Amino acid sequence: MGGESKQTSTTQSQTQPWLEAQPALKNILTQLQGGLNNTGVTSAENGALNTIVQNANNSATKYAPAVDNYATTLLGGGGATAQSGNVNDAYQAYLKATQPLASNTNYDPRTTPGFADTIAALTSDITNATNGQFAAAGRDLSGYNQQALGRGIAQGVAPTIMAQYNQNVQNQQGAAKDLCNAGNTTAGIQTGLTQQDLANRGQGVTAAGAATDAANAGANATLAAEAQRRGIPVQALGLLAQIGIPIAGLGSQSNGTSETTNQMSGVQQFMGITSGLSQLFGGGGSSGGGAVGGMGTAANMIKFISDRNAKEDIQEVGTLHDGTPVYRYRYKGQPGFQIGLMAQDVEQFAPEAVGQIGQFKAVDYKLATERSVRKVA
C-alpha cells in the first residue's frame, strides 16, 4: 500500500489549572483586578508627603540665613585674632616697664640710686667712731689713727658694695628672664589665636556645606516626595504582578494550521493514522499509543502541582517509609504553608506519577506513595 497523502489540519490546544482549584484562583485574580484600581498614592500618604515638603521648606526659611551667617563668620576667622592687638600692646607695655633694667648690664653699685648716700653715711659713722676712740687716747690724727680709720672704712663698706653688686646682677637677670617669658607667652597666645583662626576657617568650609544643604532642603524633600509618588504605585503593581503572573502562567492556549503533502509507504500511512488517533485522544507522551496516551491525559486531572519551581520557603520536615522526602513550603505569592512532595523527587522512582499542568510538574499522590505503602505492608 502506498501513495500520496495531502493533509490540512487546524489544531487548537488549551491547558488550565486543576479544575477544583480554578474557583479559588479566579477569586484571587478578581481581587487582584480590584487592587489595580488602588495602586495610586492614598490621601494619607499624599498628606504625609506634603507635610514633609512643608516642614523642609519651613526649616530652610528659618535656619538657612543663620547657617549662612555662621559659615560666613567662620570663613572670616570667627574673630579669633580680634584680641591680637591687645595682647601685643600688653607685651609692649611690659617691655617698657622693664627697661632699662632688663637690658642694662652695667652692674656698678655706684650707679644704683641711693647707693652713694648709703656709703657716705656708713663712712661717716665709721670715721666718727674711730677718730673718737683715738681722740680720747690723745692720739687723734696719728699714723695709727689713719691706718685704723682706713681699715675700718674698708671692712665696713666692702660688704655693702658687694651686696649691692650682687643685687644689681640679680635684678637685671630676673628682669631679662621675666621679659623673655613674657615674650614667649605673647608668642604662644598669638600662635594660638592664629591656629584658632585657621580652625574657624576650616569649620566655615563645613558650615558652608551645611548652609547649602539647608538652602536645598526644601527642593530635596520635594524631589524625594515626588519619587515616592511615582514609586508607591509602581511598587504596588509589582507586588500584584508577583502574585498574578504565576497564576496566569498556569494555563496556556495555542492555535495552528498546517498543510503537508507526503509520499508515504503503506506502513508510514498506517503509523500516521495511529499517531493522529493518539493525538485526538490526548496522547503524545512517550509511554504508548492513543489509548494509553488518552488515559495519561485523564490521569493528569487527579494530579496536584508539586513542582519545586512553583514553591518557595522550602524546608524538609521528614520522609515517607520509603525515604521519599516530605517538605514544608509555600506556593509562590501565597501566605499559607503546605506539606507535600516534590515532583522532581517523585519522578526519579515513579515517573508514572508525574505529569504536566501548564508549565509546572504535577504529582498523582496515590501513585507516588505506592512504594511507601508497600514498605509498611
Side-chain angles (χ1 to χ4, degrees), residues 136-147:
R139 301 175 60 189
D140 56 326
L141 301 179
S142 65
Y144 285 110
N145 184 180
Q146 297 300 319
Q147 183 180 8

Side-chain angles (χ1 to χ4, degrees), residues 304-341:
F304 296 90
I305 293 177
S306 291
D307 198 315
R308 180 180 289 271
N309 296 320
K311 302 172 182 179
E312 59 185 359
D313 294 336
I314 301 171
Q315 184 177 3
E316 184 175 340
V317 295
T319 58
L320 299 179
H321 293 291
D322 63 346
T324 302
V326 179
Y327 300 91
R328 184 187 73 173
Y329 55 86
R330 292 190 303 109
Y331 284 105
K332 291 182 177 179
Q334 300 298 314
F337 279 89
Q338 311 287 337
I339 298 292
L341 309 176

Side-chain angles (χ1 to χ4, degrees), residues 285-297:
S286 61
S287 60
V292 177
M295 289 187 292
T297 300

Side-chain angles (χ1 to χ4, degrees), residues 80-341:
T81 59
Q83 298 301 319
S84 177
N86 293 334
V87 173
N88 186 65
D89 290 345
Y91 172 73
Q92 293 298 327
Y94 184 79
L95 175 62
K96 183 178 180 180
T98 58
Q99 295 302 326
L101 177 62
S103 59
N104 181 25
T105 57
N106 181 11
Y107 306 131
D108 188 350
R110 293 174 298 176
T111 63
T112 304
F115 179 77
D117 295 337
T118 301
I119 294 300
L122 183 60
T123 301
S124 176
D125 291 343
I126 294 173
T127 299
N128 292 334
T130 302
N131 288 340
Q133 291 176 357
F134 276 90
R139 301 175 60 189
D140 56 326
L141 301 179
S142 65
Y144 285 110
N145 184 180
Q146 297 300 319
Q147 183 180 8
L149 177 61
R151 185 181 295 112
I153 292 175
Q155 292 177 347
V157 173
T160 302
I161 295 174
M162 181 60 67
Q164 186 62 55
Y165 176 86
N166 291 336
Q167 185 64 48
N168 289 349
V169 172
Q170 182 179 354
N171 291 343
Q172 188 275 331
Q173 292 182 349
K177 181 178 179 181
D178 291 342
L179 183 60
C180 179
N181 291 338
N184 291 336
T185 301
T186 301
I189 294 175
Q190 295 284 21
T191 300
L193 293 176
T194 301
Q195 294 300 319
Q196 185 61 50
D197 179 83
L198 293 174
N200 287 347
R201 293 175 189 272
Q203 291 180 6
V205 174
T206 302
T212 302
D213 292 341
N216 292 336
N220 287 333
T222 299
L223 292 175
E226 291 305 313
Q228 288 288 343
R229 287 190 176 96
R230 289 193 300 270
I232 290 174
V234 173
Q235 184 180 12
L237 288 172
L239 293 174
L240 294 175
Q242 290 180 10
I243 301 173
I245 291 176
I247 295 176
L250 294 177
S252 63
Q253 181 174 333
S254 63
N255 295 284
T257 301
S258 64
E259 181 175 324
T260 59
T261 301
N262 297 315
Q263 185 71 32
M264 299 184 295
S265 67
V267 175
Q268 288 174 323
Q269 289 186 17
F270 177 76
M271 292 299 293
I273 293 171
T274 56
S275 176
L277 291 173
S278 175
Q279 293 293 332
L280 178 63
F281 287 102
S286 61
S287 60
V292 177
M295 289 187 292
T297 300
N300 280 342
M301 299 301 294
I302 60 173
K303 292 180 174 64
F304 296 90
I305 293 177
S306 291
D307 198 315
R308 180 180 289 271
N309 296 320
K311 302 172 182 179
E312 59 185 359
D313 294 336
I314 301 171
Q315 184 177 3
E316 184 175 340
V317 295
T319 58
L320 299 179
H321 293 291
D322 63 346
T324 302
V326 179
Y327 300 91
R328 184 187 73 173
Y329 55 86
R330 292 190 303 109
Y331 284 105
K332 291 182 177 179
Q334 300 298 314
F337 279 89
Q338 311 287 337
I339 298 292
L341 309 176

Side-chain angles (χ1 to χ4, degrees), residues 350-374:
E352 71 279 0
V354 179
Q356 195 79 17
I357 298 180
Q359 60 180 346
F360 298 114
K361 296 179 184 293
V363 171
D364 182 329
Y365 271 71
K366 181 176 184 303
L367 295 178
T369 57
E370 283 291 344
R371 190 173 67 164
S372 178
V373 172
R374 288 196 298 271

